[in-house]
Amino acid sequence: MKNVILLAPPAAGKGTLAKTLCEKYGYVSISTGDLLRERALEDKELRDFMKTGKLVSDELVFDVLKAKLNKLGNTPYILDGFPRTINQAVMYDEMISDIGKDLGVVIYLDIDKETLKQRVTTRLTCPNCKSTFSTVNEGFIPKKEGICDKCNSELVQREDDTEEAFEKRYEEFLEKTAPLIDYYAKAGNLNRVPDTDFEVIFSKVSAVVNDND
Ligand code: AMP
């Protein structure tokens, strides 16, 4: 299996896609957002900063990422939420060349802003297993209201899943992350997936990660 970088605006379904790829193909998913939220449990300043939807420093991101990659060995992995800027992409290219890992493929989930905003404001997340659900979108409504289908934990609304924080995160995406689309297209790694239906997305992504060319 090829390593995967998931490139997408906020709430495009990166987390759900990563989770399914892990279950089907044995990937390990690395979400820098989750790693940072873990770190933020013991760091109130970071927790307050992350509520604003702004990007944290590259130093901190590489710190949590390196610690995670060091533990991985040769297991193929999915990067969810990283890199977020050209600078992080360049630093990441250098880092993997130093530690002998392959970049693999870049999947770009290309979904329009209004669809994303509606998803964010109706999204519920499991604080335990990180599964996400929706209060309105068919196929994602929890079987029991407010309870995770997978591990029975009580679902919560993430602190940055408000309309205001979404606008900020989307702006950050356009300004800082969207240039990566060109960066990886030029490097020949980019695979654009413009769909919203999860089954269609998953089948296209499966073909890309299993392609041995
Ligand atoms: P996410 O769960 O990926 O939406 O990330 C939640 C928050 O974590 C973001 O709004 C940022 O504050 C921070 N974050 C996650 N990944 C990165 C990254 N690669 N670079 C900088 N900040 C990040």
Side-chain angles (χ1 to χ4, degrees):
M1 308 302 306
K2 294 174 180 170
N3 290 332
V4 176
I5 291 176
L6 284 183
L7 201 59
K14 283 188 297 207
T16 307
L17 177 61
K19 214 163 192 312
T20 313
L21 287 168
C22 291
E23 285 161 9
K24 291 255 170 160
Y25 303 126
Y27 276 105
V28 166
S29 170
I30 303 178
S31 153
T32 44
D34 283 345
L35 294 174
L36 289 163
R37 273 185 289 279
E38 235 167 75
R39 178 76 65 102
L41 290 176
E42 294 143 27
D43 183 339
K44 182 163 183 323
E45 204 180 316
L46 176 60
R47 199 156 66 235
D48 288 343
F49 182 85
M50 284 174 72
K51 275 185 213 160
T52 66
K54 287 190 195 150
L55 295 184
V56 310
S57 72
D58 289 345
E59 196 189 351
L60 180 56
V61 174
F62 273 83
D63 192 40
V64 293
L65 178 64
K66 269 187 196 156
K68 182 77 184 181
L69 283 180
N70 278 338
K71 288 195 214 141
L72 260 197
N74 289 326
T75 315
Y77 60 89
I78 300 169
L79 288 175
D80 163 7
F82 175 92
R84 288 275 236 280
T85 61
I86 293 277
N87 195 41
Q88 286 182 3
V90 173
M91 284 170 74
Y92 180 67
D93 284 346
E94 284 166 13
M95 186 179 99
I96 52 174
S97 124
D98 284 350
I99 60 178
K101 291 201 185 284
D102 276 336
L103 183 101
V105 291
V106 180
I107 307 284
Y108 167 42
L109 300 180
D110 187 4
I111 301 182
D112 72 274
K113 185 180 173 189
E114 281 314 305
T115 306
L116 298 169
K117 195 194 293 187
Q118 190 258 13
R119 279 189 191 173
V120 152
T121 48
T122 60
R123 177 159 76 173
L124 293 173
T125 303
C126 175
N128 180 42
C129 73
K130 315 289 183 233
S131 299
T132 53
F133 297 88
S134 166
T135 54
V136 294
N137 293 336
E138 233 174 285
F140 290 92
I141 299 173
K143 292 198 184 84
K144 213 166 144 197
E145 197 182 328
I147 301 292
C148 177
D149 286 357
K150 302 213 169 118
C151 72
N152 268 328
S153 302
E154 209 165 311
L155 300 172
V156 296
Q157 184 177 37
R158 252 172 53 180
E159 279 173 330
D160 56 356
D161 274 352
T162 59
E163 192 169 332
E164 197 187 354
F166 169 78
E167 289 290 347
K168 184 74 211 160
R169 286 159 72 207
Y170 193 80
E171 239 173 67
E172 292 258 352
F173 169 78
L174 283 188
E175 188 192 327
K176 296 184 175 149
T177 309
L180 291 175
I181 298 161
D182 245 19
Y183 179 85
Y184 286 123
K186 283 191 184 128
N189 301 112
L190 194 81
N191 296 272
R192 182 173 162 270
V193 181
D195 308 272
T196 50
D197 182 272
F198 185 73
E199 297 302 320
V200 176
I201 293 174
F202 187 70
S203 122
K204 288 190 181 174
V205 172
S206 292
V208 172
V209 300
N210 283 299
D211 181 356
N212 287 323
D213 287 347

